[in-house]
């Protein structure tokens, strides 16, 4: 009888231990090639969209991350730049799912400047690259190669490979599209500008714009937006060249972000930064404009304190998780920001 009791207790202990381990979760990180996930994917070398580089190394590798040990927020970050492990380390820590997709985003330097800078071409190309729909005469990007389908197909793949990650929550009932109101589009520089242009067209949960947006010759920033303007969050360094000609302040004003508070210097403020959507920094980057440009997002170019910690940790968490319905007090457009198109 005593042996039976001991056996039962042992079994209960093992079962409880297994359940505890399951409840603790795990950090899941995935890599996969876009061309292997979706057979419809095609190369477009004329705009830099290829599956291998000149040395035969895969160029279409996509990345994903989720930490099931962290309480989930039910939102998916789509990063529209090259893989950035430092960013995914933080988004997973916030309880966000994250993916980086391979789509046509190298076209900027491969199109004749006379066509590209005509005043409307940039926004149209960005929208076609994001949607795979025919918005531009300068490129031809079918749906399977646009960001929307690249992201959808990747999440479908993750749903099959990593059911523990609960990726299926971001797919519609037919699993042929994402539930975009659960998506945070996010990028830096070129990627932040495409994120903002896409959000004008498609309603999303949030837009996070590191060092952007720009497209200084264009006025799409002032178009009616499918995504409510309180969901756009921007962060740049004042030494970034994007401030020359008032490009950043102009974009922020055209997006209507002054309705949610003033421009706030994060060096002199703390969370929640007056609930503003327009954040800046003057942190020491050695007076280097390029370092300033890369400093706003997690990575080697972002400044650290004496202990080796990133200065902008609270800023990044604010940008990605601050409740969108908590907004600052509206202010008038800054008089020193020129809203006319600049060269």
């Amino acid at each position: 009888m005593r042996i039976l009791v001991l056996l039962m207790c042992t079994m209960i202990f093992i079962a409880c231990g297994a359940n505890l381990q399951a409840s603790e979760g795990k950090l899941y990180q995935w890599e996969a090639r876009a061309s292997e996930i979706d057979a419809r994917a095609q190369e477009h070398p004329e705009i830099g969209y290829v599956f291998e580089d000149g040395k035969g190394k895969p160029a279409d590798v996509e990345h994903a991350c989720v930490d099931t040990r962290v309480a989930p927020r039910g939102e998916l970050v789509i990063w529209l730049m090259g893989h950035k492990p430092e960013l995914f380390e933080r988004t997973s820590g916030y309880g966000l799912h994250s993916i980086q997709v391979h789509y046509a985003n190298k076209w900027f330097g491969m199109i004749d400047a006379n066509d590209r800078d005509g005043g409307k071409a940039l926004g149209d190309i960005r929208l076609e690259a994001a949607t795979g729909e025919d918005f531009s005469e300068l490129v031809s990007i079918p749906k399977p190669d646009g960001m929307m389908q690249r992201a959808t197909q990747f999440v479908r793949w993750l749903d099959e490979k990593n059911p523990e990650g609960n990726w299926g929550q971001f797919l519609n009932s037919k699993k042929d599209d994402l539930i975009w109101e659960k998506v945070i589009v996010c990028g830096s520089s070129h990627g932040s500008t495409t994120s903002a242009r896409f959000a004008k067209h498609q309603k999303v949960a949030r837009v996070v714009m590191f060092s952007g947006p720009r497209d200084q010759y264009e006025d799409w920033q002032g178009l009616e937006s499918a995504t409510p303007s309180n969901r756009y969050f921007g962060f740049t360094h004042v030494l970034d060249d994007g401030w020359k000609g008032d490009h950043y302040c102009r974009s922020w004003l055209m997006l209507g972000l002054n309705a949610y508070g003033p421009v706030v210097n994060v060096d002199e403020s703390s969370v929640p930064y007056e609930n503003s959507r327009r954040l800046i920094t003057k942190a020491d980057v050695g007076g280097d404009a390029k370092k300033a440009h890369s400093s706003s997002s997690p990575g080697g170019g972002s400044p650290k304190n004496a202990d080796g910690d990133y200065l902008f940790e609270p800023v990044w968490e604010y940008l990605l998780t601050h409740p969108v319905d908590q907004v600052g007090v509206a202010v008038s457009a800054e008089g020193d920001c020129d809203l006319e198109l600049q060269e």
Side-chain angles (χ1 to χ4, degrees), residues 66-341:
V66 62
D67 193 339
T68 59
R69 299 169 297 185
V70 181
R73 291 181 175 272
E75 292 183 326
L76 170 69
V77 174
I78 301 180
W79 175 246
L80 301 187
M81 299 292 287
H83 181 44
K84 204 172 185 68
E86 301 91 343
L87 175 70
F88 279 21
E89 179 183 341
R90 281 149 186 82
T91 55
S92 61
Y94 305 153
L96 296 165
H97 290 62
S98 305
I99 62 173
Q100 170 263 329
V101 295
H102 178 252
Y103 79 108
N105 62 358
K106 293 185 178 180
W107 51 264
F108 192 90
M110 305 183 76
I111 294 175
D112 185 270
N114 292 324
D115 296 325
R116 185 194 65 203
D117 298 335
K120 188 175 180 293
L122 289 171
D124 289 347
I125 298 173
R126 291 187 190 283
L127 197 53
E128 180 155 340
T131 64
E133 298 177 25
D134 187 16
F135 286 99
S136 171
E137 296 180 354
L138 299 178
V139 296
S140 180
I141 304 171
K143 279 192 175 183
D145 300 318
M147 178 275 290
M148 294 182 78
Q149 269 297 296
R150 291 271 49 79
T152 300
Q153 295 302 321
F154 194 18
V155 171
R156 286 181 59 179
W157 184 90
L158 289 163
D159 185 38
E160 294 179 2
K161 299 290 185 180
N162 184 212
E164 303 89 346
N166 191 23
W167 296 92
Q169 67 181 298
F170 304 114
L171 293 166
N172 66 10
S173 59
K174 295 181 179 180
K175 295 190 176 184
D176 61 359
D177 198 5
L178 296 182
I179 302 173
W180 288 96
E181 287 199 53
K182 293 185 176 183
V183 170
I184 298 171
V185 284
C186 179
S188 178
S189 188
H190 179 80
S192 75
T193 308
T194 296
S195 295
R197 181 65 189 95
F198 175 68
K200 282 282 181 174
H201 172 78
Q202 172 67 56
K203 188 176 184 180
V204 295
R206 182 188 305 254
V207 189
V208 178
M209 307 172 295
F210 297 113
S211 299
R214 194 164 172 173
D215 279 0
Q216 62 268 30
Y217 297 95
E218 308 200 3
D219 59 5
W220 58 259
Q221 300 94 324
L223 295 175
E224 184 177 351
S225 182
T227 300
S229 54
N230 62 306
R231 299 185 185 185
Y232 291 75
F233 291 76
F235 178 45
T236 73
H237 194 291
V238 296
L239 294 182
D240 186 327
D241 278 344
W243 283 99
K244 293 181 179 179
D246 292 340
H247 301 314
Y248 286 161
C249 71
R250 172 182 175 271
S251 288
W252 285 355
L253 287 174
M254 292 181 72
L255 288 170
L257 304 190
N258 57 304
Y260 311 109
V263 175
V264 173
N265 185 341
V266 300
D267 311 330
E268 303 169 353
S269 185
S270 58
V271 176
Y273 307 114
E274 301 184 46
N275 293 308
S276 178
R277 275 35 179 177
R278 299 182 295 163
L279 305 184
I280 61 169
T281 178
K282 297 181 180 180
D284 183 13
V285 291
D288 189 319
K290 290 184 178 180
K291 287 184 179 180
H293 189 63
S294 64
S295 70
S296 63
S297 60
S302 196
K304 297 180 179 180
N305 61 23
D307 295 326
D309 300 320
Y310 285 115
L311 293 179
F312 303 142
E313 291 283 7
V315 180
W316 298 329
E317 185 169 5
Y318 171 85
L319 294 168
L320 285 153
T321 67
H322 183 68
V324 295
D325 58 349
Q326 294 181 19
V327 300
V329 177
V331 298
S332 300
E334 289 75 20
D336 59 351
C337 182
D338 190 350
L339 293 180
E340 296 298 319
L341 297 182

Side-chain angles (χ1 to χ4, degrees), residues 14-26 68-69:
I14 292 173
C16 289
N19 288 334
L20 178 62
Q21 185 178 21
S23 65
E24 288 178 345
K26 179 181 177 181
T68 59
R69 299 169 297 185

